[in-house]
Amino acid sequence: MRIAVGADHGGYPLNERVIEELRTAGHEITDFGTHDGSISDDYPDYARELGQAIQRNAVEIGILICGSGVGASVAASKLKGVRAALCGDTYSAHQSREHDDCNILCLGARVTGVELALEIVRAFVAASFTGEERHRRRLKKVLEIEKL
Ligand code: RB5
């Protein structure tokens, strides 16, 4: 699968672990950095780059990491067609794909431990939208909200 990974300084070095995990599993990774957690940078910049990669279909899904995951999910979800799920558990991670057709997983590197974060990533990547009528109906309503 084509997957983008991006993180601000608060998300580093969890992004490096996520990339290693995904590459080992055979995925094609677009790495938006950061590779230096000592430089104070801005999560919206990563959210924008990664979200636009989703929009132009350069990647299928993305993993976006900041300190809490909150800023990343707020910023990325501003982009049309981007649904960014902040997850701290595996159930939300797979359900966000299966029911909500989310295309970005957000993680908080300062709140979620590395091993749990990697399990969350595996759950998100392995899941897909079920396409059931009730989920399509709800997704359509979400897309209507996006137009407001
Ligand atoms: C950076 O200090 C931090 O504010 C950012 O990574 C993120 O947690 C914002 O939601």
Side-chain angles (χ1 to χ4, degrees), residues 8-11 43 66-72 110:
D8 73 349
H9 64 285
Y43 65 82
C66 69
S68 63
V70 174
R110 294 175 182 161

XYZ file of all heavy atoms in Angstrom, residues 8-11 43 66-72 110, ligand 1:
95
model
N 5.443 16.471 13.216
C 6.159 17.672 13.654
C 7.167 17.247 14.731
O 7.331 16.046 15.004
C 5.176 18.758 14.143
C 4.551 18.421 15.503
O 4.704 17.275 15.992
O 3.897 19.310 16.068
N 7.817 18.237 15.359
C 8.836 17.906 16.369
C 8.238 17.123 17.545
O 8.911 16.284 18.129
C 9.520 19.188 16.880
C 8.595 20.113 17.595
N 7.669 20.908 16.943
C 8.411 20.358 18.923
C 6.992 21.604 17.834
N 7.412 21.292 19.041
N 6.938 17.381 17.850
C 6.287 16.665 18.955
C 6.023 15.206 18.624
O 5.832 14.386 19.509
N 5.979 14.905 17.339
C 5.702 13.534 16.893
C 6.953 12.712 16.659
O 6.885 11.496 16.413
N 2.827 21.822 13.180
C 2.065 20.659 12.697
C 1.164 20.956 11.479
O 0.988 20.078 10.631
C 1.251 20.021 13.841
C 0.173 20.887 14.417
C -1.062 21.000 13.808
C 0.394 21.630 15.576
C -2.048 21.830 14.328
C -0.579 22.453 16.098
C -1.801 22.557 15.465
O -2.772 23.371 15.969
N 1.683 14.199 15.907
C 2.181 15.375 16.623
C 2.245 15.006 18.102
O 2.170 13.817 18.436
C 1.344 16.628 16.329
S -0.334 16.648 16.976
N 2.387 15.986 18.976
C 2.545 15.661 20.394
C 1.322 14.967 20.958
O 1.409 13.903 21.574
N 0.162 15.571 20.746
C -1.098 15.005 21.257
C -1.896 14.288 20.171
O -2.790 13.507 20.483
C -1.964 16.128 21.823
O -2.306 17.026 20.781
N -1.624 14.622 18.937
C -2.418 14.121 17.802
C -3.600 15.031 17.505
O -4.221 14.916 16.442
N -3.910 15.942 18.423
C -5.107 16.784 18.275
C -4.939 17.812 17.156
O -5.757 17.909 16.242
C -5.457 17.497 19.606
C -6.607 18.463 19.407
C -5.801 16.477 20.672
N -3.851 18.575 17.233
C -3.626 19.597 16.205
C -3.561 18.981 14.821
O -4.139 19.505 13.854
N -2.878 17.850 14.716
C -2.743 17.167 13.430
C -4.110 16.786 12.868
O -4.397 17.013 11.687
C -1.875 15.919 13.593
N 3.221 11.992 22.487
C 3.468 12.284 23.898
C 2.460 11.584 24.812
O 2.560 11.673 26.029
C 3.417 13.794 24.142
C 4.549 14.543 23.456
C 4.396 16.052 23.611
N 5.469 16.745 22.912
C 5.419 18.033 22.554
N 4.345 18.756 22.847
N 6.426 18.596 21.904
C 3.943 20.953 19.714
O 4.532 21.398 20.899
C 2.522 20.469 19.960
O 1.716 21.565 20.282
C 2.000 19.730 18.762
O 2.860 18.682 18.448
C 0.628 19.080 18.906
O 0.567 18.297 20.054
C -0.534 19.929 18.761
O -1.695 19.463 18.884
